[in-house]
Amino acid sequence: KNEVEQSPQNLTAQEGEFITINCSYSVGISALHWLQQHPGGGIVSLFMLSSGKKKHGRLIATINIQEKHSSLHITASHPRDSAVYICAVNPTQLTFGTGTRLTIIP
Amino acid sequence: GAVVSQHPSRVICKSGTSVKIECRSLDFQATTMFWYRQFPKQSLMLMATSNEGSKATYEQGVEKDKFLINHASLTLSTLTVTSAHPEDSSFYICSASVQGAPGNQPQHFGDGTRLSIL
């Protein structure tokens, strides 16, 4: 069974700060997903990556397959980035981390 | 981008009622849909995998007679919570992908259904 651990569990930062959320998993995978869950519960898929780095706007996701580790970075954070960020890995069904609750203070 | 619509967004009903939740892919055909359950401050737990035209595959510990899943078309899957009880109160969310193993395809999530059984 793939164990997925995220850190930190909670993160509060000032608007404009650079944010890093980490995800570690225990067994080999072929892809890792970063998801954003809004306070109402809806989930948005941010990234699916299997190697290297992806960037979308102010969001950057990196993965190191050898180290079984991924990071999600948010540059120039904004209060609207406040949400729970969830890491999920395969290989068959998705296994989810417990999430990182991010709060950005104006 | 791909949109998944889930209805209703919130249900409050009495114990013993059956509740149907719909998950629709609006602009793509989803051969596979997934149903998850999430308790407060916990991660999503996969309940079942729904494949169009075939029986759903349930995860261990999920009662198939309690949580009925129907995937009658490539754009619609339904989850019916039969004879709901307070312990069934939870947040239910679906996701859909075009095909293939869930981990290898982008997942498109609905907005979830918050079910409260009185």
Side-chain angles (χ1 to χ4, degrees):
Chain A
K1 181 184 175 184
N2 212 343
E3 302 291 335
V4 181
E5 293 189 358
Q6 286 185 237
S7 63
Q9 291 187 339
N10 294 283
L11 178 57
T12 300
Q14 292 290 134
E15 181 174 356
E17 286 190 38
F18 181 81
I19 303 299
T20 296
I21 299 170
N22 297 299
C23 175
S24 297
Y25 50 93
S26 57
V27 301
I29 63 171
S30 58
L32 180 143
H33 300 245
W34 279 104
L35 310 170
Q36 179 191 52
Q37 185 168 29
H38 293 285
I43 292 176
V44 174
S45 178
L46 300 175
F47 295 104
M48 185 183 76
L49 65 164
S50 55
S51 66
K53 174 181 173 179
K54 284 190 176 181
K55 184 177 188 294
H56 185 256
R58 295 180 295 106
L59 302 177
I60 303 167
T62 64
I63 188 169
N64 186 316
I65 294 294
Q66 287 73 30
E67 295 186 3
K68 297 186 176 60
H69 180 270
S70 175
S71 293
L72 176 69
H73 305 286
I74 304 175
T75 61
S77 59
H78 190 276
R80 64 175 175 267
D81 297 326
S82 298
V84 175
Y85 292 83
I86 302 170
C87 165
V89 301
N90 58 358
T92 51
Q93 60 187 267
L94 286 180
T95 301
F96 297 84
T98 52
T100 295
R101 187 172 299 273
L102 175 65
T103 304
I104 303 298
I105 299 171
Chain B
V3 177
V4 172
S5 174
Q6 186 173 340
H7 291 283
S9 58
R10 185 174 180 91
V11 180
I12 302 173
C13 57
K14 293 182 179 180
S15 184
T17 306
S18 291
V19 178
K20 179 185 282 190
I21 303 169
E22 291 188 349
C23 182
R24 292 180 185 271
S25 56
L26 297 186
D27 51 1
F28 68 101
Q29 293 186 325
T31 57
T32 308
M33 290 186 175
F34 306 93
W35 287 97
Y36 300 92
R37 183 173 182 175
Q38 185 180 34
F39 290 106
K41 301 194 186 232
Q42 293 188 21
S43 61
L44 283 78
M45 296 296 295
L46 179 66
M47 298 175 66
T49 301
S50 170
N51 295 298
E52 186 266 336
S54 64
K55 290 185 179 180
T57 302
Y58 290 81
E59 295 303 304
Q60 190 174 5
V62 178
E63 299 176 58
K64 61 181 180 181
D65 295 329
K66 173 76 170 176
F67 299 99
L68 300 178
I69 291 173
N70 183 276
H71 194 155
S73 76
L74 286 171
T75 59
L76 174 64
S77 176
T78 61
L79 168 67
T80 302
V81 184
T82 61
S83 187
H85 288 90
E87 59 266 28
D88 299 322
S89 298
S90 187
F91 185 71
Y92 295 87
I93 191 165
C94 68
S95 74
S97 64
V98 175
Q99 64 181 6
N104 296 329
Q105 295 289 330
Q107 290 294 301
H108 310 289
F109 289 83
D111 286 335
T113 298
R114 194 163 301 281
L115 176 62
S116 300
I117 307 299
L118 305 178

